[in-house]
Amino acid sequence: MRMRPTLSWTPGEDLPPGTTDLEPVADALRGGGVLVLSGAGLSTESGIPDYRGEGGSLSRHTPMTYQDFVAGAQARRRYWARSHLGWRTFGRARPNAGHRAVAAFGRHGLLAGVITQNVDGLHQAAGSEDVVELHGALDRVVCLSCGARSPRRELARRLEEANPGFEPVAAGLNPDGDADLTDEQVAGFRVVPCAVCGGILKPDVVFFGEAVPPQRVEHCRALVRAAASLLVLGSSLTVMSGLRFVRQAARDGKPVLIVNRDPTRGDQYALTRVSLPLGAALTTVADRLGIAVEQQAAAGP
């Protein structure tokens, strides 16, 4: 069953207010067994905008849905032109202090796992292991006909060759790696087929309106069952793909802690919601636990 896309959510007046007290988060981590669920807000400090925060991309951009993508060649041309341009920036993003803090917690044995709604690969780049990519990853491509998977860098090379001189100026970048371009800017873009069978290529991500694979959902549910608590980082929990794990943890009587600047759809289930920037908040928690967070490595040439 495909999920109906949920693009917006209006906070109710009865939601508990946010706090700046990080001690409950530190206490949970001291106890260990913390399962992290991260969203787009964790990557904003890496230069990747979120959907729903202040200045979020939904104010100007409607994400591609699975139904639109498979419906016709024009929608796929628009998607791949915008995504190809966005990948040049998206692929250069580096982990920020929040990602590095999560990796440090994992190295010290405090985590039961990491589930991310993000498709940017920044948790792994920071050193986190066994990350469950709930919505897939933009650095992989899959053929809808034969199922062959290939690296995004390979597709990027083929698209460069098929579209020499494609250098439009984008109005912005979105969390799914999609750059904001006009119909006129993408009109002449050439899409390339699967190199194996000639079929339709799609990024190996879960589009809005597409279901997360059931085995991946069950794996995440098992992680929730095994965890002592759930720590949500930078997610509005608007879409059910993440909110269901918050509800599961709450039903099981496990503490849910949220660090997110704005109210979330899961606040009613949470022990606390900390309203602070993610990088600074998680670095502060690491300091309280006596854990060193690695500094950002210098960017390569």
Side-chain angles (χ1 to χ4, degrees):
M1 177 184 297
R2 288 177 183 155
M3 297 179 301
R4 181 175 60 85
T6 302
L7 301 182
S8 62
W9 162 77
T10 302
E13 296 181 358
D14 57 343
L15 288 179
T19 179
T20 58
D21 182 10
L22 287 164
E23 198 54 31
V25 177
D27 282 343
L29 285 161
R30 287 188 188 100
V34 175
L35 177 62
V36 167
L37 172 62
S38 68
L42 185 63
S43 293
T44 56
E45 294 174 39
S46 293
I48 300 175
D50 64 7
Y51 283 115
R52 300 173 182 86
E54 184 177 352
S57 68
L58 284 183
S59 63
R60 65 176 191 280
H61 164 74
T62 300
M64 176 64 69
T65 67
Y66 179 83
Q67 292 76 12
D68 287 342
F69 186 85
V70 300
Q74 184 174 351
R76 292 192 292 275
R77 177 183 298 111
R78 183 172 64 252
Y79 174 82
W80 278 119
R82 293 160 62 116
S83 184
H84 177 56
L85 182 64
W87 176 252
R88 297 173 183 173
T89 299
F90 199 91
R92 292 194 297 267
R94 296 292 179 265
N96 62 55
H99 298 108
R100 298 195 301 273
V102 171
F105 299 149
R107 285 194 299 273
H108 283 76
L110 305 182
L111 301 184
V114 177
I115 302 170
T116 185
Q117 297 173 281
N118 299 337
V119 296
D120 51 37
L122 293 180
H123 275 299
Q124 296 92 320
S128 290
E129 299 180 352
D130 300 323
V131 178
V132 179
E133 295 173 314
L134 189 62
H135 296 154
L138 269 182
D139 64 357
R140 301 187 301 268
V141 180
V142 62
C143 175
L144 294 181
S145 297
C146 71
R149 282 176 167 77
S150 56
R152 178 63 180 263
R153 63 178 180 276
E154 178 182 312
L155 176 63
R157 175 187 58 77
R158 294 178 63 205
L159 288 174
E160 292 282 358
E161 293 173 352
N163 299 277
F166 182 71
E167 297 286 347
V169 176
L173 181 68
N174 303 298
D176 53 6
D178 186 12
D180 288 326
L181 297 175
T182 66
D183 290 343
E184 291 75 14
Q185 287 175 303
V186 307
F189 191 82
R190 294 182 58 198
V191 177
V192 298
C194 172
V196 176
C197 74
I200 294 172
L201 293 176
K202 171 184 173 291
D204 196 9
V205 302
V206 177
F207 280 166
F208 282 90
E210 184 179 9
V212 177
Q215 66 273 20
R216 194 179 301 165
V217 174
E218 180 50 40
H219 178 43
C220 293
R221 289 198 181 280
L223 289 174
V224 175
R225 288 193 293 269
S229 59
L230 180 64
L231 175 59
V232 180
L233 302 176
S235 176
S236 68
L237 299 171
T238 296
V239 294
M240 188 56 64
S241 65
L243 180 63
R244 58 184 153 196
F245 304 125
V246 170
R247 289 177 171 175
Q248 177 187 347
R251 284 196 305 268
D252 292 347
K254 299 181 179 184
V256 174
L257 306 100
I258 299 174
V259 184
N260 195 65
R261 291 290 296 268
D262 300 313
T264 82
R265 197 177 172 194
D267 282 6
Q268 61 184 304
Y269 306 103
L271 173 67
T272 185
R273 176 177 61 84
V274 178
S275 180
L276 288 172
L278 270 295
L282 295 178
T283 300
T284 297
V285 170
D287 287 343
R288 293 185 185 182
L289 299 177
I291 294 175
V293 176
E294 290 184 359
Q295 297 299 306
Q296 174 69 62

